[in-house]
Amino acid sequence: MSSEMMVRELETSEHELWDELVDISPYGTIFQKSDWLTICRDSFNFDLKMYGCFHNEELVGGCSLFSKRARRIFKVASSYCNMTPYGSILIKRSASRKVRNQEEFQNNVLRKILDHIEEQGFDQVSISNSSDFIDTRQFSPDRWTRDISYAYYFDLREDIDARMPKGLRTIIRRANENGILVKKEENIRRFYDLIRQTYEKQQLIPPADLDFFERIMEFLHRTRQGEMWIAEMPTGEVAAAEIIIWDNKRAHRWAATSDPELKVHNATSLLLYNIFRDLKSRDFKEINLMSGNTPKLTTFITGFNPELVPYYMVTSYSKKFDACRQIVNKIR
């Protein structure tokens, strides 16, 4: 079967075909939709390559990579970027019910994709697979290093109140009593103003500019794959804001911000609680809360009793890049 497969870069006219693969692949996420990828490409000044694996002219797999030259010397590529945590390998689900045939099909597609990526001459390639992609055995240790990252998932099929600790339920009740209004919001500037102020107070640059968030929200509204929520104080101040997005597998807590000066009102806890209840009412099964790799965020998120879920990142280095990397590490 592998001899009948070929990998090539997709044309813009084939983006719809790519999006169909994202939907049917067990590893596809909203972060791999062609519109999302092109917005990131334009906003962060990347080159974008979308490689498709074809079997008898049918698109059965693929991988998208953002690339640029590091210090004008090394050619580096990554399946993820700012505000885009995953860029998984995509593979169509095998039609066979036999595990052996399923693995053979997946391995053939994956090998073809990885061989094609290697032929592109990148000095470094990093791929962040979704949590659904757990079989990384084809990423051979002589060509790839493997690392584990983590996210937190909250099961929306369970009784939300029963899952949360009593102390958190008390915090949410008191936040309600403080007159905090939780609602969906269309004005992305209210979110961006808050996140910009939060980063500036820490003398940091926001992860993206307003134009990026505006373009993403336009995409989400057009495709009906996301919405923004805010927790508003009785004075009209925005105490916390969240952007929730989703694909055909789960919801994602994509972006969140809060006013540290209003933290005492516990608006973020109330906001997330209401979002959970709303998603549950629309039959979402789970939400990816992210935050598994940032200690200062895990303290808050774990208060909801979520499940820790691993996802796998793989990286390949050219010999010259690896040699320079090791020299830099020794100097440090």
Side-chain angles (χ1 to χ4, degrees), residues 242-305:
E242 306 263 348
I243 298 177
I244 305 298
I245 64 179
W246 53 80
D247 44 47
N248 58 3
K249 299 173 181 64
R250 61 185 58 87
H252 305 268
R253 185 186 185 224
W254 175 58
T257 185
S258 61
D259 189 333
E261 295 182 3
L262 298 175
K263 185 177 180 180
V264 66
H265 297 285
N266 298 305
T268 304
S269 297
L270 177 64
L271 179 56
L272 262 184
Y273 173 73
N274 278 272
I275 290 172
F276 289 169
R277 289 175 59 86
D278 181 82
L279 292 174
K280 182 180 179 69
S281 72
R282 289 185 278 166
D283 295 323
F284 282 90
K285 295 180 179 179
E286 63 185 5
I287 179 171
N288 175 5
L289 298 173
M290 312 283 187
S291 305
N293 306 304
T294 310
K296 66 180 181 179
L297 298 179
T298 60
T299 301
F300 169 72
I301 289 298
T302 51
F304 289 88
N305 276 345

Side-chain angles (χ1 to χ4, degrees), residues 3-57:
S3 62
E4 301 169 354
M5 292 183 180
M6 57 90 67
V7 179
R8 62 171 174 82
E9 186 177 348
L10 299 184
E11 303 290 339
T12 303
S13 60
E14 296 174 300
H15 281 187
E16 184 175 349
L17 189 65
W18 171 272
D19 288 338
E20 291 174 359
L21 176 63
V22 172
D23 287 336
I24 64 175
S25 171
Y27 315 127
T29 70
I30 186 174
F31 303 111
Q32 291 151 285
K33 284 300 185 80
S34 59
D35 281 350
W36 188 287
L37 296 174
T38 53
I39 291 171
C40 291
R41 176 200 64 192
D42 298 342
S43 298
F44 304 123
N45 194 28
F46 287 117
D47 291 328
L48 173 62
K49 303 294 183 182
M50 298 167 66
Y51 301 118
C53 179
F54 291 83
H55 177 232
N56 295 333
E57 299 185 355

Side-chain angles (χ1 to χ4, degrees), residues 75-78 80 122-126 315-318 321 325:
K75 184 180 179 183
V76 300
S78 172
Y80 55 96
F122 293 113
D123 293 296
Q124 176 184 324
V125 179
S126 297
T315 304
S316 176
Y317 303 103
S318 68
F321 188 94
R325 186 172 66 96

Side-chain angles (χ1 to χ4, degrees), residues 85-290:
Y86 311 118
S88 182
I89 294 284
L90 296 173
I91 300 176
K92 182 180 178 180
R93 191 186 303 274
S94 170
S96 176
R97 300 182 65 179
K98 297 180 179 179
V99 172
R100 178 183 299 174
N101 294 343
Q102 292 171 0
E103 289 198 356
E104 180 183 16
F105 176 77
Q106 171 154 317
N107 291 342
N108 286 335
V109 175
L110 183 54
R111 279 195 294 265
K112 279 290 185 180
I113 293 172
L114 297 183
D115 287 345
H116 185 79
I117 290 175
E118 185 178 21
E119 293 168 1
Q120 306 313 302
F122 293 113
D123 293 296
Q124 176 184 324
V125 179
S126 297
I127 299 173
S128 175
N129 289 300
S130 75
S131 60
D132 299 299
F133 192 107
I134 62 173
D135 187 358
T136 61
R137 289 174 293 179
Q138 293 302 310
F139 294 89
S140 59
D142 60 321
R143 290 170 53 183
W144 297 87
T145 62
R146 287 178 280 187
D147 296 294
I148 304 177
S149 294
Y150 296 93
Y152 285 106
Y153 281 21
F154 188 88
D155 192 338
L156 297 167
R157 294 168 296 186
E158 297 184 14
D159 185 321
I160 294 175
D161 292 284
R163 186 178 179 90
M164 295 189 304
K166 181 179 179 180
L168 181 59
R169 296 199 300 270
T170 300
I171 287 174
I172 291 170
R173 176 177 54 79
R174 290 175 177 171
N176 254 324
E177 293 171 352
N178 288 333
I180 296 174
L181 174 64
V182 171
K183 64 179 182 178
K184 296 180 183 179
E185 174 64 63
E186 297 289 332
N187 187 357
I188 188 60
R189 286 180 178 271
R190 300 193 77 185
F191 177 93
Y192 189 77
D193 285 345
L194 185 55
I195 197 171
R196 177 179 53 79
Q197 292 169 14
T198 301
Y199 272 76
E200 286 180 353
K201 288 178 181 178
Q202 302 175 65
Q203 296 183 326
L204 298 173
I205 299 174
D209 59 21
L210 175 60
D211 179 71
F212 170 79
F213 283 100
E214 288 178 335
R215 293 184 63 185
I216 287 292
M217 290 306 297
E218 187 280 326
F219 159 67
L220 296 176
H221 289 154
R222 173 166 43 85
T223 59
R224 297 181 180 180
Q225 287 186 273
E227 59 201 12
M228 186 175 88
W229 290 71
I230 64 170
E232 190 177 78
M233 299 297 295
T235 58
E237 297 174 280
V238 178
E242 306 263 348
I243 298 177
I244 305 298
I245 64 179
W246 53 80
D247 44 47
N248 58 3
K249 299 173 181 64
R250 61 185 58 87
H252 305 268
R253 185 186 185 224
W254 175 58
T257 185
S258 61
D259 189 333
E261 295 182 3
L262 298 175
K263 185 177 180 180
V264 66
H265 297 285
N266 298 305
T268 304
S269 297
L270 177 64
L271 179 56
L272 262 184
Y273 173 73
N274 278 272
I275 290 172
F276 289 169
R277 289 175 59 86
D278 181 82
L279 292 174
K280 182 180 179 69
S281 72
R282 289 185 278 166
D283 295 323
F284 282 90
K285 295 180 179 179
E286 63 185 5
I287 179 171
N288 175 5
L289 298 173
M290 312 283 187

